[in-house]
Amino acid sequence: GLYIEALKNYTYKNKDLKFFKKLCNYLSQEEKEKFIQKVKKNYTSLFYVQILEQEKRYDDILAYLKEEKFSSYYFTDVIRPILNLFPDVIYNSIIVKCNRLLSLENKNEKTYKEVSKLLKLLKKINSKKEEAELIINEYLRENGKLNKYFVK
C-alpha cells in the first residue's frame, strides 16, 4: 500500500538503483514493467539503462540504442553494458557517431574530446581490438587536430 507507493516515488524521484532493487520485492512483473516504462519515458537514459542492466535485459538496451531517442550525451552510458555482447552493432554505432561528429562544420575542442572518448571505447570491444587499432590510426591520420586529444 502506502509503503510501496512511497518507495516507488522515492526510487523514481531519486533515480536510486538500490531502492529499485528493494521495490522489486513488492511489485508484480507487470507493475515492475510499468515502472520501468515510466522511467524510460520521463527520465534520463542513464537510470533506464542501469535498471535494464540490473535486470540483465541486454536485448532491451540494444533496442533502446537503435531507437536513438536519447540525448547523445548518454551514448556511452547506453553502450557500456552491451559493449562486448553485441560487438558488431556497437562497433558500427561508434564509427557512425564519430563520423557524424567529425563531419560537423564547426568542430571544437569538445568535439575532438568526444571522438577521442568514443575511439577509446572501440578498443574495449574484445573481439574488435585489431580492427579498432587500424581505424583509430586512420582517424588520427585524417584528422590532425584529433591527435592533440587522443592519448593512446
Side-chain angles (χ1 to χ4, degrees):
L2 202 55
Y3 173 72
I4 295 169
E5 282 310 306
L7 193 56
K8 264 189 208 174
N9 288 332
Y10 182 87
T11 304
Y12 186 73
K13 283 194 175 92
N14 294 289
K15 302 184 247 345
D16 192 317
L17 214 49
K18 283 186 290 207
F19 279 87
F20 176 74
K21 283 181 190 173
K22 281 184 187 171
L23 181 63
C24 287
N25 295 325
Y26 301 100
L27 299 179
S28 69
Q29 195 58 43
E30 191 179 312
E31 291 168 321
K32 182 166 68 169
E33 191 54 39
K34 206 182 284 179
F35 182 86
I36 292 171
Q37 289 312 311
K38 182 180 175 187
V39 168
K40 178 183 181 185
K41 201 165 67 187
N42 299 308
Y43 266 115
T44 66
S45 306
L46 181 58
F47 187 45
Y48 176 64
V49 169
Q50 286 173 332
I51 288 173
L52 293 179
E53 182 179 16
Q54 183 180 302
E55 294 287 303
K56 295 182 180 9
R57 290 173 51 178
Y58 303 113
D59 288 335
D60 290 344
I61 297 174
L62 180 63
Y64 187 60
L65 171 69
K66 288 179 177 179
E67 284 175 19
E68 289 190 37
K69 288 184 181 162
F70 53 88
S71 160
S72 63
Y73 178 81
Y74 293 105
F75 181 76
T76 53
D77 294 315
V78 173
I79 65 172
R80 187 190 43 73
I82 58 173
L83 206 59
N84 285 296
L85 296 174
F86 306 102
D88 293 331
V89 176
I90 300 303
Y91 184 89
N92 291 331
S93 295
I94 293 172
I95 297 298
V96 166
K97 182 96 169 123
C98 287
N99 289 340
R100 210 177 283 155
L101 287 166
L102 290 170
S103 70
L104 294 173
E105 282 296 310
N106 47 357
K107 291 181 277 300
N108 57 24
E109 184 177 344
K110 191 178 169 211
T111 312
Y112 290 112
K113 282 182 176 174
E114 180 66 19
V115 171
S116 228
K117 190 169 87 173
L118 291 169
L119 291 176
K120 286 176 185 165
L121 268 178
L122 279 181
K123 293 166 78 171
K124 292 186 177 182
I125 303 174
N126 295 331
S127 64
K128 298 284 188 183
K129 288 197 184 296
E130 285 177 35
E131 260 176 86
E133 277 303 317
L134 293 172
I135 198 128
I136 288 168
N137 288 333
E138 195 176 309
Y139 272 108
L140 293 174
R141 245 191 338 273
E142 291 175 8
N143 303 278
K145 287 183 179 174
L146 189 57
N147 286 282
K148 181 178 170 186
Y149 304 98
F150 190 85
V151 182
K152 287 191 177 189

